[in-house]
Amino acid sequence: MKIKVLIADDNSFIREGMRIILSTFGDFDVLATVENGQEAVDFCKSQDVDVALLDVRMPVMNGVEATRRLTLETKTRPMILTTFDDDEYILDAIRYGAKGYLLKNNDPERIRDAIKSVHSGNNVLQDVVLDKLKSSMDLLRPVDTASKSETAEGRSADEAETKRSAAPAGGPGRAGTTTSLEAGYAQGSTSQNEVHGQSETKGLPFDPSPFTERELGVMSLVARGLSNKEISKELFISEGTTANYITSILGKTLLEHRTQIAIYYLTGRVR
């Protein structure tokens, strides 16, 4: 079955060009093209649209506000497709529920793949967009320098904690009662907060209680784009320990890869 798409752009040349391009693939049924966000919202409220491609700067209603309205009022998945990579637009669009944010200078095949991925329930952020999103977030905090003074004994205890965290627990997006394992997570987090304080968890867009202090630190470094090797050097732990932390985080959030961890840390969204 073809993916039903709406295109919203105030430039008629781009609207029609995108419609022609998408129609050539055979994966899409372009239901309509509109010239502003209000028309996009009205159409999606009256028609069954799978994915709405939205430009950012449009008259009457811009793509960011249209994203918010579509997320609240319809089942359509909004996806920003624009020439602008301004930090302000990116952050607001993601917060309001945009499932994708791509620039128009991408190859048609990449845009096609992104639409299909969004339709499948994934988030798609172009690398340059993700970089700008990370740099604009005031939620990212520097790693506690006290962690760098860990002794070998402290690192061994850290690795032991990671092993205890390896099994998935009832975290964000998972229903269920509190288990003894979850209680262990909470206890570990509390004990570290007594040492470092709880200021680092304030303002996060998600409930930090299922995670240990170290897991939150790893998440913040993943969101900054660091590799496992770089995270290991930053926290003075082994790459194997870092990988175990990431595995634990994925299990608690029900996410599948590190890019989704970055998005979750920055926005609180698991989808």
Side-chain angles (χ1 to χ4, degrees):
M1 183 177 295
K2 291 185 177 182
I3 300 172
K4 289 173 284 188
V5 176
L6 171 76
I7 300 171
D9 198 300
D10 61 332
N11 186 315
S12 60
F13 179 78
I14 293 178
R15 284 199 311 269
E16 290 307 307
M18 187 60 61
R19 181 185 64 79
I20 293 171
I21 289 172
L22 294 184
S23 298
T24 62
F25 288 121
D27 300 306
F28 311 109
D29 181 9
V30 180
L31 300 182
T33 62
V34 297
E35 62 183 25
N36 62 64
Q38 183 63 63
E39 291 181 359
V41 172
D42 292 343
F43 187 89
C44 291
K45 290 174 69 174
S46 64
Q47 302 291 330
D48 184 16
V49 178
D50 295 319
V51 179
L53 301 183
L54 306 169
D55 189 21
V56 169
R57 299 182 183 179
M58 295 185 290
V60 184
M61 180 187 294
N62 65 31
V64 175
E65 176 61 17
T67 292
R68 187 185 72 83
R69 293 277 304 278
L70 289 173
T71 300
L72 292 175
E73 302 173 18
T74 75
K75 295 182 180 180
T76 302
R77 297 179 183 273
M79 176 177 165
I80 300 295
L81 184 63
T82 183
T83 56
F84 304 102
D85 60 353
D86 295 352
D87 297 5
E88 175 187 357
Y89 291 127
I90 298 171
L91 185 57
D92 287 343
I94 297 300
R95 282 176 171 170
Y96 288 153
K99 302 299 183 181
Y101 201 117
L102 264 70
L103 303 183
K104 293 175 181 175
N105 61 359
N106 279 286
D107 294 334
E109 290 77 12
R110 184 170 185 182
I111 296 175
R112 174 201 61 193
D113 292 343
I115 297 172
K116 294 173 69 175
S117 184
V118 166
H119 178 253
S120 297
N122 300 311
N123 293 285
V124 178
L125 294 179
Q126 191 170 342
D127 289 344
V128 63
V129 172
L130 182 58
D131 289 342
K132 283 183 171 288
L133 176 63
K134 289 184 293 189
S135 67
S136 68
M137 290 296 293
D138 58 4
L139 297 175
L140 295 178
R141 307 182 189 281
V143 177
D144 191 343
T145 54
S147 66
K148 295 187 177 182
S149 63
E150 288 182 322
T151 62
E153 178 181 356
R155 289 196 295 272
S156 297
D158 203 23
E159 293 178 3
E161 177 194 352
T162 303
K163 292 180 181 179
R164 292 196 300 271
S165 301
R174 176 178 296 189
T177 58
T178 301
T179 66
S180 59
L181 185 58
E182 288 173 298
Y185 287 135
Q187 182 178 1
S189 180
T190 300
S191 63
Q192 292 190 46
N193 280 335
E194 289 174 352
V195 177
H196 300 299
Q198 299 182 4
S199 60
E200 291 186 3
T201 63
K202 292 182 179 179
L204 291 174
F206 59 90
D207 177 13
S209 60
F211 307 98
T212 66
E213 193 74 16
R214 177 48 56 84
E215 286 172 340
L216 292 172
V218 170
M219 292 168 72
S220 73
L221 295 176
V222 169
R224 285 168 52 187
L226 272 64
S227 66
N228 282 11
K229 183 176 182 179
E230 291 168 330
I231 293 173
S232 299
K233 289 182 178 179
E234 187 79 16
L235 300 182
F236 288 85
I237 58 178
S238 69
E239 289 188 52
T241 301
T242 298
N244 288 338
Y245 277 123
I246 291 177
T247 298
S248 176
I249 293 165
L250 292 173
K252 291 180 179 182
T253 56
L254 299 182
L255 299 174
E256 297 178 355
H257 51 76
R258 63 192 303 117
T259 300
Q260 291 178 331
I261 292 177
I263 295 172
Y264 177 70
Y265 185 83
L266 296 172
T267 69
R269 291 174 46 215
V270 294
R271 282 290 184 186

